[in-house]
Structures are given as structure tokens and as C-alpha cells.
């Protein structure tokens, strides 16, 4: 932190006893406006004149006046530092609210697009680019910039940062609405809001999740040959439903230049798997699509921020090949260069989507426990490496009608929806009814098409783990959607063959567990004798 920023931050902290924390930046902006508006020393010493200028500034910025009285305002006016680095102050303020800000290494990568000398540039959700916004603008003086920001206070700060820049226009608008601008651009850059549960109000978008709306909406605002660089959650590469519809729209109308998985932890405020997508508004042709997986290079500096982007995996596919794959799952693309994957794909075993041969659903949300309850609850911790630990189940008491749709059945396969490890188990009917917790996904095989034990064997295999990893959304912590899990393509041999594999597995597991128990008992007895001195 520079001395300039530190002094101003200390000044802001002095305001805490007089106003809400959320009002402090606005208060300082208004003081800055008054300093600009007062044009002589006499005005600077006249409280009534200064306060009138304050009220006028608040009206102009369309904000409330945060100062309780005239005396407080005049005192804070006199104590305000002469020079303020507004961009760094905004960056610090946003970090305190755990905003996702683009790290310098990612901004450097995105700046490569300026080599094409774009005339018009849109930086959407522009505050996510601080404290590097001014650097981008000043390095490209021949480009006309439009900076959009949804929050009116943050937009006001950006207006102050770029006061006097003739090639910069700041717009208080939301890129999650069609009407945010009527212009088109040669280059658009954006880090949209992602990971939340809010949906855009406009129902005409293909997918109403904010990050997906941003992709569709910004792509619409590209000039012919214009380029969009955007950061998106991993779901864009594999999710089904409306996200898949959006992928198909992009495939049919744009050319993808690069698709790259970003390192875990590149954004401090989220553990969601993220991707860099670079697309161009040109007719889709048989072009090469760059596929990359980036790491941070030196892991020791990760706490201090991502120091560099290193392409750990790097390949390309023809655009038609990517589209024929049915999704943008780069794990599958890289796996195709793997012998195990090739063997799996080339095997004669029939394959089908998991959702076609089984029901896939989440368990029930459980807010209260009852140790004496008559209903067992399968949780993540009760899913072992091989079997469910029925002694570790939670319990609750609920009316039968409230849990009827969640009751587990013989042969159901359960898998954690989140956590640090992929584990599966097959449920066997107990003397009491059981349900799964909402943190657990239930896979109910169609008994004519799929055997539960066989499915567990496959999902636990290296290939099964690879497929599950391809649809999980988290980086350091696993996060799987039951809808995405249903899109897994699994091998489905004849049911008789599946059952034969399952019987062999159960027989061998029983021998293993018995041998293990006998060995542990023998070791316990031997150790007891040795220690009985």
C-alpha cells in the first residue's frame, strides 16, 4: 500500500464513528466534488457556502448526503488529504467486501487483445479490473473506452478516477439487462458476477444465471470481427439444460479462439472452477481452438497472489471436433491423448448417459436432528470407501408424507455432492426408513438396465473418477450438481454381465474385509501380549 493510499485509508477510518461504513467512500467523493467546485479561498472558509456545494454535489451524484450536520462536514472537509489515489482506494474497499478482482497476471493475458488496435473497447463490470484500469486505458490512448458498473457508488468512483480522460465514458448500467447500451464494440472484457443464486429478471435470455447472461448479452454487442474475453465458471463447459442451449448458440454464431481452465485460488473470494473464454464474432469455420489448463507456476507465492500463469497442458482441436464432442469439457479433450481414455472409448461396450438408465436426485435438506428419531439420514461422513456406515447415520423424526419422495431404496448408489474426495456406496435396506441428506446425491438405477454395485465399481475406477472430475464445479473442494452428474456417459453392458461383475466384487470384498478384520484382531492380540510386561 502506498503512503498516499494509506493516509487516505486512515482518514476514512476516522469517519467510522460518524457514519455507516458503506457511506464513507461516498462521503469522501462528495468532499472531492466540493473541493473542485469551490473556486476561491473565501468560499473555503464559509461553512454555509461549502454545505450548499455539498448538497448540490449529492444531487448531481443522485446520492444521499451522509453527513449528519454542517459542523461535521466542515471538519472532515478540512482534514481530507489533498491527493487521493481513487483507483487503489476502490480496490482496497472492494477487497474488504470480498469482491472478485482480476489478478495482474490475468489482466496481462487479456491485454494481448489490444495488439489488434481496437477502436472501441467495453470493459464490463469495470471495478473488477482495479487497480489496473487506468494502466489499461493509458497504454491504449487511441481506443475509445466505455466502462460499465452496476453499483452507482462504484460508478461514481470510476468517474472520479477518469475525470479529464476524453477517451473514457463511465456508464452506471447492468450488463445483465439487454438495454445496458445500444453500442457495439471491437473488444469486450468482463469478469461477471458468478457463483450466486440470483437470476436475471429478463426471461428472454437463453439462461438466466448472471454469468451466462453476461456471455450471451456481451456477445450480442460485438462488432463484426470483434473479440470477447470473459471469465466463466466451469459449468459453461459441461452443464446440461439451458447452459447447453447457450453453448450451442455460441457454437452456431461465433468462433472460439481459446478455452482455458484457470488455476485454483486465482480468485481469493471463491473456490469455483473458472475458465477463460475468448471468442470472436466471425462466421464459425473449421478453425483451431486453443485448449489450455493453466497453473500458477511457483506454488510458494500463491498466498501473495498468482505470480504467473503457466500452461500445464496445451493443445488444440478443430472447432468442428469441439462441437461434435457435445460439450466443452477440456478434461475429455486432454484425456483423449491418454491411453486409458482411448481404450475406454474404443471398447465395444455400449455406452449411455447416466440419466437415461437411472434417476439422479439430491437428498432432503435436514435442519434438525433427533438422536432418538426413527428415520436414518445418510450424510457425507457415513459414506465409506467401500460401504455405508449405518452406525454413523444421523437420525430425525418427520411425518411420513414429508419424506416419502426421499426414501432410499435397495440398490441406490450415493455420492457426496461436495467435499474433498470422490466416494460412492450402495444402500441396502435397513429395518428403519432412511433418506439422504441434501449434501448427498442419490442415483437410483433402472433395474432392467443398470446394477447399483456395477455402477459403484465403475464410478470408483480411475476412468469413473476422471469423468466425475470433469463435471465437478469446485477446485479445492468438490462441488457436483446432480443434473450435471446425469450427463455422464457410462458403459452399460447387458444387465446379466453387470450382475456377474457385481457378484464377483461382493465376494472378493467379503473375503478382503474378513481377512482385514482377522489380521487386525491378530495384531491387536499380539501387541497386547508384547505390551503386558
Amino acid at each position: 500500500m502506498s503512503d498516499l493510499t494509506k493516509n487516505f485509508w486512515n482518514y476514512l477510518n476516522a469517519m467510522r464513528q460518524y457514519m455507516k461504513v458503506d457511506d464513507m467512500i461516498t462521503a469522501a467523493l462528495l468532499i472531492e466534488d466540493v473541493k473542485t467546485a469551490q473556486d476561491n479561498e473565501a468560499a473555503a472558509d464559509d461553512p454555509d457556502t461549502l454545505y450548499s456545494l455539498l448538497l448540490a454535489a449529492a444531487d448531481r451524484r443522485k446520492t444521499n448526503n451522509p453527513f449528519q450536520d454542517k459542523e461535521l462536514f466542515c471538519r472532515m472537509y478540512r482534514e481530507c488529504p489533498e491527493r487521493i489515489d481513487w483507483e487503489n482506494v476502490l480496490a482496497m474497499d472492494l477487497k474488504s467486501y470480498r469482491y472478485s478482482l482480476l489478478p495482474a497476471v490475468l489482466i496481462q493475458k487479456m491485454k494481448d487483445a489490444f495488439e489488434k488496435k481496437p477502436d472501441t473497447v467495453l470493459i464490463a463490470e469495470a471495478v473488477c479490473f482495479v487497480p489496473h484500469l487506468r494502466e489499461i486505458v493509458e497504454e491504449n490512448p487511441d481506443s475509445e473506452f466505455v466502462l460499465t458498473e452496476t453499483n452507482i457508488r462504484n460508478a461514481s468512483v470510476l468517474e472520479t478516477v477518469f475525470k479529464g480522460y476524453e477517451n473514457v465514458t463511465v456508464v452506471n448500467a447492468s450488463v445483465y439487462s439487454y438495454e445496458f447500451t445500444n453500442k457495439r464494440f471491437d473488444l469486450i472484457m468482463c469478469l461477471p458476477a458468478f457463483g450466486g443464486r440470483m437470476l436475471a429478471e429478463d426471461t428472454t435470455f437463453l439462461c438466466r444465471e448472471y454469468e451466462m447472461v453476461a456471455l450471451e448479452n456481451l456477445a450480442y454487442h460485438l462488432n463484426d470481427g470483434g473479440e470477447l474475453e470473459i471469465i466463466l465458471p466451469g459449468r459453461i463447459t459441461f452443464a446440461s439444460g439451458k447452459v447447453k442451449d447457450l453453448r450451442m448458440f455460441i457454437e452456431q454464431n461465433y468462433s472460439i479462439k481459446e478455452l482455458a481452465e484457470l488455476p485454483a485460488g486465482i480468485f481469493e473470494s471463491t473456490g469455483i472452477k473458472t475458465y477463460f473464454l475468448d471468442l470472436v464474432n466471425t462466421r464459425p469455420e473449421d478453425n483451431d481452438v486453443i485448449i489450455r489448463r493453466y497453473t500458477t507456476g511457483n506454488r510458494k507465492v500463491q498466498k501473495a497472489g498468482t505470480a504467473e500463469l503457466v500452461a500445464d497442458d496445451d493443445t488444440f482441436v478443430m472447432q468442428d471436433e469441439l462441437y461434435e464432442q457435445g460439450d466443452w469439457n477440456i478434461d475429455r479433450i486432454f484425456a483423449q491423448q491418454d491411453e486409458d481414455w482411448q481404450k475406454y472409448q474404443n471398447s465395444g461396450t455400449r455406452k449411455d448417459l447416466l440419466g437415461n438408465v437411472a434417476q439422479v436426485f439430491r437428498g432432503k435438506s435436514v435442519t434438525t436432528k433427533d438422536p432418538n428419531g426413527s428415520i436414518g439420514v445418510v450424510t457425507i461422513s457415513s459414506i465409506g470407501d467401500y460401504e455405508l456406515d449405518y452406525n454413523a447415520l444421523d437420525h430425525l423424526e418427520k411425518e411420513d408424507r414429508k419424506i416419502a419422495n426421499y426414501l432410499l431404496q435397495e440398490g441406490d448408489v450415493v455420492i457426496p455432492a461436495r467435499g474433498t474426495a470422490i466416494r460412492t456406496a450402495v444402500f441396502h435396506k435397513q429395518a428403519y426408513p432412511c433418506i439422504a441428506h441434501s449434501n448427498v446425491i442419490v442415483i437410483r438405477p433402472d433395474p432392467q438396465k443398470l446394477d447399483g454395485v456395477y455402477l459403484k465399481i465403475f464410478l470408483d475406477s480411475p476412468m469413473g473418477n476422471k469423468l466425475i472430475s470433469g463435471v465437478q464445479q469446485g477446485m479445492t473442494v468438490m462441488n457436483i450438481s446432480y443434473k450435471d452428474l446425469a450427463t455422464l456417459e457410462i458403459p452399460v453392458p447387458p444387465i446379466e454381465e453387470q450382475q456377474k461383475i457385481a457378484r464377483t466384487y461382493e465376494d472378493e470384498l467379503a473375503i478382503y474385509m474378513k481377512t482385514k478384520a482377522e489380521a487386525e484382531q491378530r495384531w491387536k492380540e499380539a501387541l497386547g501380549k508384547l505390551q503386558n510386561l
Side-chain angles (χ1 to χ4, degrees):
M1 186 192 306
S2 68
D3 290 340
L4 195 64
T5 304
K6 185 176 181 180
N7 290 339
F8 182 68
W9 205 250
N10 291 336
Y11 168 74
L12 284 183
N13 285 329
M15 289 186 178
R16 286 178 181 270
Q17 56 186 310
Y18 306 116
M19 63 186 65
K20 297 177 182 178
V21 173
D22 291 346
D23 290 338
M24 295 190 307
I25 294 287
T26 299
L29 281 171
L30 293 173
I31 288 175
E32 177 99 343
D33 288 348
V34 173
K35 283 186 174 183
T36 302
Q38 63 90 11
D39 55 4
N40 58 65
E41 293 185 6
D45 293 331
D46 181 10
D48 291 332
T49 300
L50 291 178
Y51 204 70
S52 295
L53 292 173
L54 167 69
L55 296 177
D59 287 342
R60 191 166 52 253
R61 287 191 182 269
K62 298 178 181 179
T63 186
N64 293 326
N65 175 18
F67 292 98
Q68 300 171 7
D69 54 54
K70 189 184 303 182
E71 182 180 343
L72 171 62
F73 166 68
C74 291
R75 184 164 74 253
M76 299 310 299
Y77 176 85
R78 290 191 297 269
E79 294 175 1
C80 185
E82 288 299 317
R83 294 175 58 233
I84 301 170
D85 184 347
W86 279 106
E87 188 177 11
N88 272 297
V89 168
L90 180 58
M92 289 184 60
D93 182 62
L94 295 174
K95 284 183 178 180
S96 70
Y97 285 98
R98 295 187 62 78
Y99 260 69
S100 290
L101 302 182
L102 282 157
V105 289
L106 198 47
I107 284 181
Q108 189 60 46
K109 174 177 177 55
M110 297 177 82
K111 286 197 299 185
D112 290 344
F114 283 97
E115 292 179 1
K116 295 165 67 173
K117 304 295 182 183
D119 291 328
T120 54
V121 179
L122 168 64
I123 300 183
E125 297 287 66
V127 295
C128 297
F129 289 73
V130 299
H132 307 284
L133 260 179
R134 193 162 42 202
E135 169 190 314
I136 295 172
V137 170
E138 291 179 351
E139 288 177 356
N140 301 279
D142 295 328
S143 297
E144 293 291 329
F145 288 86
V146 172
L147 313 179
T148 67
E149 170 53 33
T150 307
N151 181 282
I152 190 169
R153 189 214 69 170
N154 294 342
S156 293
V157 177
L158 291 180
E159 287 177 347
T160 302
V161 171
F162 291 101
K163 186 187 302 181
Y165 285 72
E166 294 183 358
N167 64 331
V168 178
T169 302
V170 178
V171 180
N172 177 210
S174 170
V175 297
Y176 313 109
S177 169
Y178 272 124
E179 300 82 10
F180 83 99
T181 183
N182 58 4
K183 297 180 179 179
R184 294 180 181 272
F185 302 88
D186 299 325
L187 172 63
I188 301 177
M189 307 162 77
C190 182
L191 170 61
F194 56 77
R197 296 181 178 272
M198 293 183 64
L199 300 177
E201 294 181 2
D202 197 325
T203 58
T204 56
F205 287 109
L206 291 169
C207 181
R208 292 173 58 205
E209 296 172 33
Y210 266 24
E211 57 271 31
M212 306 303 170
V213 167
L215 171 59
E216 180 182 350
N217 205 14
L218 294 175
Y220 278 135
H221 287 85
L222 288 173
N223 282 325
D224 290 342
E227 188 168 355
L228 169 61
E229 297 186 321
I230 187 169
I231 310 301
L232 295 167
R235 293 189 67 246
I236 186 61
T237 65
F238 60 77
S240 57
K242 294 181 179 180
V243 177
K244 181 178 180 180
D245 293 341
L246 178 57
R247 278 200 309 271
M248 292 178 64
F249 167 77
I250 295 297
E251 292 174 359
Q252 293 165 5
N253 295 280
Y254 301 89
S255 293
I256 297 177
K257 183 177 177 181
E258 180 178 350
L259 179 64
E261 181 184 301
L262 298 174
I266 193 167
F267 299 107
E268 296 178 4
S269 60
T270 181
I272 294 175
K273 185 185 293 187
T274 54
Y275 279 73
F276 169 79
L277 175 64
D278 188 342
L279 60 85
V280 183
N281 186 18
T282 58
R283 183 182 178 86
E285 297 175 352
D286 201 13
N287 298 323
D288 292 345
V289 180
I290 299 170
I291 305 295
R292 288 190 175 123
R293 180 181 285 118
Y294 285 108
T295 63
T296 56
N298 187 355
R299 295 285 180 179
K300 294 181 180 179
V301 300
Q302 193 164 343
K303 287 187 176 180
T306 303
E308 60 178 334
L309 289 178
V310 177
D312 200 36
D313 291 305
D314 193 339
T315 188
F316 67 88
V317 294
M318 306 300 283
Q319 187 151 303
D320 286 350
E321 292 176 340
L322 178 64
Y323 299 167
E324 288 172 4
Q325 180 175 288
D327 56 31
W328 300 348
N329 190 330
I330 73 168
D331 290 320
R332 186 180 303 179
I333 294 170
F334 287 122
Q336 289 172 2
Q337 303 170 10
D338 180 277
E339 289 185 5
D340 291 338
W341 175 267
Q342 293 176 3
K343 182 179 178 181
Y344 171 70
Q345 285 296 310
N346 295 330
S347 71
T349 304
R350 185 177 74 86
K351 299 175 182 64
D352 204 343
L353 298 182
L354 181 58
N356 290 341
V357 292
Q359 298 178 46
V360 186
F361 57 93
R362 287 282 288 272
K364 181 175 176 56
S365 177
V366 176
T367 55
T368 58
K369 301 178 185 178
D370 181 354
N372 300 315
S374 61
I375 300 164
V377 181
V378 174
T379 62
I380 292 176
S381 60
S382 59
I383 302 176
D385 291 333
Y386 302 103
E387 301 174 308
L388 277 171
D389 183 354
Y390 296 98
N391 294 323
L393 300 186
D394 287 342
H395 287 80
L396 58 81
E397 196 64 51
K398 286 274 186 185
E399 296 179 24
D400 290 346
R401 64 182 179 83
K402 293 184 177 180
I403 64 165
N405 293 332
Y406 296 92
L407 290 174
L408 292 171
Q409 298 179 10
E410 175 71 26
D412 285 350
V413 179
V414 291
I415 180 172
R418 55 178 53 89
T420 57
I422 298 172
R423 301 192 308 276
T424 65
V426 178
F427 175 79
H428 296 295
K429 193 171 183 180
Q430 302 297 297
Y432 48 87
C434 294
I435 64 172
H437 190 277
S438 58
N439 283 338
V440 173
I441 296 174
V442 181
I443 306 171
R444 179 163 296 160
D446 180 337
Q448 303 300 317
K449 301 177 181 178
L450 185 64
D451 181 90
V453 175
Y454 165 81
L455 176 62
K456 170 186 166 54
I457 295 169
F458 174 72
L459 294 180
D460 286 346
S461 72
M463 183 54 60
N465 272 218
K466 286 181 181 180
L467 292 178
I468 294 173
S469 296
V471 299
Q472 69 106 352
Q473 299 174 40
M475 291 291 277
T476 55
V477 177
M478 182 178 68
N479 187 358
I480 301 174
S481 160
Y482 74 93
K483 293 181 180 179
D484 296 334
L485 193 64
T487 65
L488 290 188
E489 188 178 63
I490 64 168
V492 187
I495 190 66
E496 296 79 12
E497 184 178 338
Q498 295 180 43
Q499 293 168 344
K500 181 179 179 181
I501 293 171
R503 285 194 298 271
T504 302
Y505 173 87
E506 290 177 320
D507 291 344
E508 293 298 328
L509 178 61
I511 294 171
Y512 167 74
M513 298 301 285
K514 180 181 179 182
T515 304
K516 180 182 176 182
E518 290 173 348
E520 288 178 346
Q521 180 62 31
R522 186 166 61 250
W523 169 246
K524 183 178 178 181
E525 292 172 356
L527 192 61
K529 292 178 182 179
L530 293 172
Q531 292 174 340
N532 188 21
L533 301 175

